[in-house]
Amino acid sequence: MENASLVGLSRQVTLRRELDVIANNLANLTTTGFKAERVVFEEYMMPVARDETFRRTDRRVSFVQDLATAHDQAPGALKTTGNPLDLAIEGDAFFTVELPGGEQRYQRNGSFEINRDGELVTHEGFRVVGDSGPIRFEPTDNNINIAADGSISTVNGNTTSNRGKLKLSRFGDPRALDKDGVSTWRSNAPAEAQLPTTRVIQGAVEQSNVQPVVQLTRMMDVTRSYTTLASLMKSGDDLRQEAIKTLADVQS
Amino acid sequence: MRAMYTAATGMMAQELNVSVISNNIANMRTTGYKRQRAEFQDLLYESQRRVGSNTSDQGTMVPTGIQVGSGVKTAATTRIMSQGTLTSTEKDLDVAIRGEGFFQVDLPDGRTAYTRDGSFELDANGKIVTVDGYTVNPGITIPNNASNITVNSLGQVSAIIGTNTTSTVLGQLQLARFVNKAGLEAVGDNLFLETAASGTPQQGTAGSEGFGNTLQRYLEAANVNSVTELTDLISAQRAYEMNARVVTAADEMLQTTASLSR
């Protein structure tokens, strides 16, 4: 068997996938609340491709396999927008939003809007969940104020009225979260209550945490490794061809 | 290669971002203009190895799967309806609104449009109109022999008629406000139209709760901050370049693959 070619191939397949992930990170460089991903690889030991007839046993052939994509949950930089409905979270919590079917999703993107019914919604139209149901504003409300603990108050007439409190969800194990596209995350594990240190910041959004320098360096690494492997495979191929030629030469 | 298409979505997103930013910069001096911001979302993910799938009969599970995203899409161009700076103009019929409301303008086709641009004029009949000649609700007419036109903070237009010593109230400007004013549709000419997302307008007068006050001889400048826009422009341009680099990298890899076969 041509193990060298196959080992090289296994790495090339994973490198291509890694470039896909890097491309996605860089494409989302300006996506609000986006979390960068990286591919985690593992070594796969081939259990059968070994030969122990020689005195010193062969090493087992080792392939590479992509195991997982890990999300980097580091916070992104805050960008002040001045829009009262732009919110950012300081801490590891998520905003809780509700799909039309009632299922809950989590997101770090805190750029919200008000729909025609006066409810606080995401750009997709999903309702933002408060401690007691959706958050609804009256048409006469003005000066929306969202405190650091997520409680929302507005001025209506000469009185200040309370419009609920944002439900912030936290997950002890960030691996429990699964990306859903459209800025949202899905969780298999139930959400925990927020920590007292979690703060909501009004008038700012969290930018994507993609570090372009890291991504570009990885990208260069990926393309170079790919090229190196290609030339390695080619030299393996040349070697074989040479061997066939030489061995087939009839000695006169 | 997927990376190429993913990077292409990134380049398209940044192109749109630059368009939005350049429109903001172009309207830096437009009366009553409200800046926009492009909002992006990640696209769907392809699960190569699904999270939570079983890895053995004993019920062990994949803790984190392999998810490869397919790029970015534009979610919204949010309009930021914050108050612009008021600038003094010393023109009698320039009126700015401090607060939430919009002036109502009757379009020639019968619809009502909403604007924050209060640079009004008089038409041949003495009616208060916008610079495009559309009637400002409720159509206040100022007689020929009027002088000393004043608009008070409640939107009341009054003037001294002929040789009178006291001013006469000629009418009161009507304002409108919306639950979701960011949901208004901009149609150019500094005008906004009501949409299903904005909700129906509530009419009222300046000075009543939430509508804001009118201020004569002032205009509301655009709420564009040139420094922010230029910073955003630079970062959009760099993001575009980085996505272009990904296309090159993917192309290089493809080329390597192509040169393998003989």
Side-chain angles (χ1 to χ4, degrees):
Chain A
M1 282 298 290
E2 276 305 320
N3 279 333
S5 302
L6 294 176
V7 170
L9 185 66
S10 78
R11 180 67 182 133
Q12 278 187 319
V13 168
T14 57
L15 281 172
R16 286 180 80 131
R17 199 166 290 160
E18 189 169 9
L19 187 71
D20 290 344
V21 170
I22 293 168
N24 191 47
N25 286 341
L26 282 175
N28 285 293
L29 201 59
T30 53
T31 302
T32 309
F34 180 80
K35 298 293 171 200
E37 286 163 75
R38 66 194 163 82
V39 188
V40 180
F41 298 107
E42 73 173 356
E43 192 181 23
Y44 179 74
M45 290 288 200
M46 190 67 186
V48 289
R50 60 173 158 173
D51 189 353
E52 296 183 13
T53 48
F54 299 106
R55 207 152 29 122
R56 192 173 147 272
T57 55
D58 275 356
R59 300 242 174 79
R60 281 201 284 175
V61 181
S62 137
F63 291 88
V64 64
Q65 189 181 26
D66 39 356
L67 178 70
T69 44
H71 311 294
D72 177 7
Q73 291 288 354
L78 289 192
K79 181 180 167 190
T80 316
T81 61
N83 199 357
L85 294 177
D86 280 342
L87 307 175
I89 298 179
E90 193 185 296
D92 58 359
F94 291 82
F95 295 108
T96 314
V97 300
E98 192 180 68
L99 299 197
E103 210 180 325
Q104 292 196 337
R105 292 279 192 275
Y106 310 94
Q107 66 177 50
R108 287 285 288 193
N109 177 356
S111 161
F112 298 130
E113 293 176 49
I114 297 176
N115 69 8
R116 62 172 158 174
D117 300 324
E119 292 166 335
L120 191 65
V121 291
T122 69
H123 289 308
E124 292 293 294
F126 302 155
R127 287 197 288 216
V128 179
V129 180
D131 272 2
S132 49
I135 291 150
R136 194 172 277 118
F137 296 105
E138 294 301 323
T140 48
D141 280 350
N142 54 68
N143 290 331
I144 297 170
N145 181 56
I146 297 164
D149 67 344
S151 52
I152 301 169
S153 59
T154 65
V155 179
N156 193 346
N158 292 318
T159 54
T160 309
S161 16
N162 188 22
R163 294 278 173 252
K165 190 175 172 206
L166 291 167
K167 187 184 172 197
L168 300 181
S169 309
R170 200 180 134 258
F171 298 91
D173 181 10
R175 289 183 308 179
L177 290 158
D178 191 11
K179 269 190 190 172
D180 213 16
V182 297
S183 295
T184 54
W185 300 74
R186 188 174 29 209
S187 169
N188 296 322
E192 298 163 28
Q194 67 187 88
L195 291 178
T197 50
T198 307
R199 294 200 315 138
V200 176
I201 299 153
Q202 191 180 14
V205 288
E206 182 181 353
Q207 288 178 290
S208 135
N209 72 347
V210 176
Q211 287 174 296
V213 181
V214 176
Q215 300 298 329
L216 283 180
T217 316
R218 285 297 304 143
M219 187 181 83
M220 278 151 77
D221 193 5
V222 165
T223 42
R224 295 287 173 250
S225 308
Y226 193 86
T227 322
T228 313
L229 279 164
S231 67
L232 204 79
M233 284 158 80
K234 193 163 182 322
S235 50
D237 187 44
D238 287 348
L239 193 76
R240 198 166 11 150
Q241 205 173 24
E242 191 71 22
I244 292 167
K245 253 193 208 149
T246 317
L247 292 172
D249 265 353
V250 182
Q251 299 288 321
S252 54
Chain B
M1 277 189 81
R2 186 211 305 265
M4 270 189 175
Y5 296 99
T6 307
T9 66
M11 288 171 82
M12 284 192 293
Q14 294 311 328
E15 248 180 70
L16 186 122
N17 203 358
V18 170
S19 308
V20 170
I21 295 166
S22 60
N23 189 45
N24 285 343
I25 295 174
N27 284 296
M28 232 164 88
R29 304 284 303 161
T30 305
T31 310
Y33 176 79
K34 300 294 173 199
R35 75 190 149 99
Q36 280 181 296
R37 188 183 78 227
E39 272 291 327
F40 301 105
Q41 283 178 339
D42 43 358
L43 272 177
L44 290 175
Y45 285 78
E46 188 197 330
S47 281
Q48 310 269 355
R49 192 174 184 207
R50 190 164 283 286
V51 183
S53 54
N54 287 343
T55 49
S56 74
D57 291 343
Q58 279 71 41
T60 48
M61 276 196 295
V62 176
T64 36
I66 302 167
Q67 283 192 305
V68 183
S70 44
V72 62
K73 73 164 183 189
T74 315
T77 47
T78 317
R79 201 170 280 281
I80 296 161
M81 288 290 191
S82 63
Q83 176 84 46
T85 325
L86 299 185
T87 49
S88 169
T89 61
E90 314 214 332
K91 182 168 161 285
D92 281 349
L93 284 173
D94 279 347
V95 188
I97 302 173
R98 277 184 305 183
E100 302 263 302
F102 289 84
F103 293 112
Q104 298 185 67
V105 175
D106 298 327
L107 297 184
D109 59 7
R111 289 181 301 174
T112 305
Y114 305 90
T115 185
R116 294 279 293 186
D117 174 6
S119 56
F120 300 138
E121 303 286 341
L122 294 181
D123 70 0
N125 305 319
K127 200 158 63 170
I128 298 181
V129 292
T130 66
V131 284
D132 288 322
Y134 307 148
T135 310
V136 180
N137 208 293
I140 299 162
T141 308
I142 292 176
N144 277 336
N145 55 352
S147 59
N148 288 325
I149 302 168
T150 49
V151 181
N152 70 8
S153 66
L154 306 177
Q156 271 177 353
V157 183
S158 46
I160 291 176
I161 314 286
T163 55
N164 284 0
T165 48
T166 52
S167 63
T168 317
V169 176
L170 299 166
Q172 187 165 19
L173 292 168
Q174 291 291 309
L175 298 186
R177 62 182 300 248
F178 297 87
V179 185
N180 176 24
K181 53 187 171 168
L184 290 169
E185 181 193 1
V187 285
D189 302 341
N190 289 356
L191 300 175
F192 292 100
L193 290 179
E194 170 195 342
T195 66
S198 68
T200 50
Q202 306 141 48
Q203 271 128 5
T205 54
S208 55
E209 192 45 51
F211 282 90
N213 290 317
T214 47
L215 193 63
Q216 192 187 14
R217 298 193 190 91
Y218 279 87
L219 282 179
E220 185 183 1
N223 65 352
V224 178
N225 182 337
S226 53
V227 181
T228 323
E229 297 301 330
L230 284 177
T231 319
D232 285 352
L233 183 67
I234 294 169
S235 60
Q237 191 189 348
R238 295 290 172 238
Y240 185 87
E241 283 170 11
M242 275 181 252
N243 280 291
R245 284 291 306 273
V246 176
V247 176
T248 320
D251 180 47
E252 244 170 65
M253 276 168 71
L254 265 185
Q255 206 174 6
T256 312
T257 314
S259 65
L260 263 184
S261 63
R262 279 173 292 174

